[in-house]
Amino acid sequence: MDAFAPVPPEWTKKAIHAYEFCCPTCRASSRDAENVWLNRRSPVMTDNYRRKWQEFYQCRCGCVWWAWSSDRPPSKFSSEQQST
């Protein structure tokens, strides 16, 4: 499965919007998903002219969900304040 494929996989058709960045059924992280697809062909512009897009996840529990990329929690590997 190519997360950046231009055509959405069939399983994305039954996706529900998750308002928190986790599976709305079992609360699993996006990192635990069995399949991922990013809708990079239809970005949305925010008020401050930044792009966001839909990220689709197929969870192990069977739930298919999507959330905005802008809702993704910050990574522990990227911080605005770096130690010196």
Side-chain angles (χ1 to χ4, degrees), residues 35-77:
N35 287 305
V36 177
W37 182 70
L38 307 176
N39 186 5
R40 306 274 302 207
R41 295 185 69 185
S42 301
V44 173
M45 297 299 280
T46 65
D47 293 337
N48 59 354
Y49 300 103
R50 297 189 71 146
R51 282 187 283 178
K52 67 179 183 178
W53 50 86
Q54 290 175 298
E55 298 185 7
F56 290 82
Y57 298 94
Q58 186 175 33
C59 187
R60 292 179 184 169
C61 76
C63 180
V64 177
W65 58 279
W66 71 270
W68 293 110
S69 59
S70 59
D71 294 340
R72 176 181 288 283
S75 169
K76 67 179 181 180
F77 299 109

Side-chain angles (χ1 to χ4, degrees), residues 25-37:
T25 302
C26 71
R27 315 274 307 154
S29 165
S30 60
R31 293 178 188 215
D32 296 327
E34 289 185 345
N35 287 305
V36 177
W37 182 70

